[in-house]
Amino acid sequence: MTNAAGAISDAHMPAKMRISQATKIYQTKSGGVHALDNVSIDVREGEFLCLLGPSGCGKSTLLWSMAGLHGLTSGEIRLGSDVITKPHPEIAMIFQEANLLPWRNLGSNIELPFEIKKQPPNRELIKKLLKRVGLEGFENKYPRELSGGMQQRASIVRSLAVDPSVLLMDEPFGALDAFTRDEMNLLIQEIWMETGKTIIFITHSIAEAVFLADRIVVMSARPGRISTIVDVDLPRPRPVKLQTTPEFLERVEAIKGMIDHRPAT
């Protein structure tokens, strides 16, 4: 299976990111909380991978560990030969909220990662990305002047402006209305197909996962383990109307039956 960027998403592709026996136990005053248990995944070069599972199954813990923002209790995460224990220049993350600083305009919010790294901003790339996501001309607007969808578009530009090879997305469209969410799903699919970047995307929506993913990692209730991995063999580009077709709905129903909401005992 190939995407429009020419990236091949099959089992023969080398691993871009390798998660090996990832286990995370949070220590609290009332005792340990076992969030992840022995999770191993090879994320392929250039694929769109979705993490799906019930609330509290450790999806965000796993993603934040991939970003180098959470340490593991045991196991490891590698990007190529690098063990991820802290933020990595090849990895960018988009959170559930856009997290734009209210006292900075859109342009200066997007340039913030360059300031943190003490690097000159890539204004040519930023300009291209702003045009691509429909925010050209909004550089001097403040977050309060932008809709939720526009703010998330800005957060996508901010992440892509540093030109990462891996983009981690933690339920970035969950708070948006259905129409805007469809627009954003189309946008991120198009950007992925154009750039060939590796994307790992968390969602609670089975339909969103089927629409976006090459593969869906279905996780169990806490402690998070891998229940199954589903290949999504729908052709690309995928239009919104695909979600009303029998083949799409069949896949959604099949995955719904795979999700176990019962916590381990």
Side-chain angles (χ1 to χ4, degrees):
M1 176 179 174
T2 60
N3 63 33
I8 302 174
S9 295
D10 65 24
H12 302 294
M13 286 297 292
K16 176 70 174 181
M17 180 174 275
R18 176 160 287 168
I19 298 98
S20 301
Q21 300 178 322
T23 298
K24 178 67 175 182
I25 300 173
Y26 290 102
Q27 298 301 330
T28 69
K29 292 181 179 179
S30 58
V33 176
H34 199 165
L36 289 175
D37 185 55
N38 199 34
V39 172
S40 296
I41 313 166
D42 280 0
V43 184
R44 301 168 189 159
E45 178 85 39
E47 85 167 319
F48 202 125
L49 184 79
C50 279
L51 301 177
L52 184 68
S55 294
C57 73
K59 299 184 300 295
S60 291
T61 295
L62 180 58
L63 200 76
W64 283 55
S65 298
M66 292 182 193
L69 299 174
H70 278 181
L72 294 173
T73 304
S74 63
E76 69 174 19
I77 297 172
R78 286 181 178 268
L79 180 66
S81 61
D82 296 340
V83 178
I84 301 300
T85 58
K86 60 183 179 181
H88 191 285
E90 285 294 310
I91 301 172
M93 188 159 176
I94 297 174
F95 299 91
Q96 295 176 19
E97 303 293 334
N99 292 323
L100 302 178
L101 299 177
W103 59 87
R104 298 178 71 125
N105 63 27
L106 185 147
S108 60
N109 263 293
I110 289 170
E111 292 182 2
L112 182 60
F114 294 94
E115 292 181 27
I116 293 171
K117 295 178 180 180
K118 297 182 179 179
Q119 297 175 352
N122 187 341
R123 291 200 170 96
E124 182 177 346
L125 178 57
I126 290 170
K127 183 178 180 179
K128 178 182 176 182
L129 289 168
L130 286 170
K131 184 176 182 179
R132 177 65 189 78
V133 304
L135 288 177
E136 188 178 34
F138 287 86
E139 293 87 343
N140 294 320
K141 299 293 185 181
Y142 287 84
R144 64 180 179 275
E145 301 175 280
L146 304 174
S147 69
M150 294 172 78
Q151 290 186 37
Q152 279 296 47
R153 288 172 189 263
S155 73
I156 290 171
V157 172
R158 180 176 58 193
S159 294
L160 290 175
V162 296
D163 199 23
S165 62
V166 176
L167 188 61
L168 308 177
M169 305 184 75
D170 189 1
E171 289 193 86
F173 311 140
L176 303 177
D177 63 83
F179 179 76
T180 305
R181 189 167 182 161
D182 281 345
E183 283 190 333
M184 298 300 290
N185 283 334
L186 285 172
L187 175 65
I188 201 64
Q189 177 186 225
E190 291 167 2
I191 289 173
W192 170 75
M193 293 178 74
E194 290 165 7
T195 63
K197 294 186 184 300
T198 302
I199 296 181
I200 300 103
F201 188 105
I202 286 180
T203 178
H204 278 105
S205 168
I206 299 172
E208 185 171 58
V210 173
F211 182 78
L212 289 172
D214 289 328
R215 291 189 299 156
I216 300 170
V217 176
V218 181
M219 296 182 66
S220 69
R222 188 176 68 242
R225 303 184 180 103
I226 296 176
S227 293
T228 189
I229 299 177
V230 180
D231 288 295
V232 182
D233 56 353
L234 296 169
R236 297 187 186 272
R238 298 172 186 166
V240 171
K241 65 182 180 181
L242 176 69
Q243 298 179 54
T244 62
T245 63
E247 58 266 33
F248 186 92
L249 296 174
E250 286 169 9
R251 287 166 174 80
V252 170
E253 286 302 311
I255 294 170
K256 190 178 294 184
M258 298 175 187
I259 296 178
D260 183 1
H261 293 268
R262 296 169 298 175
T265 55

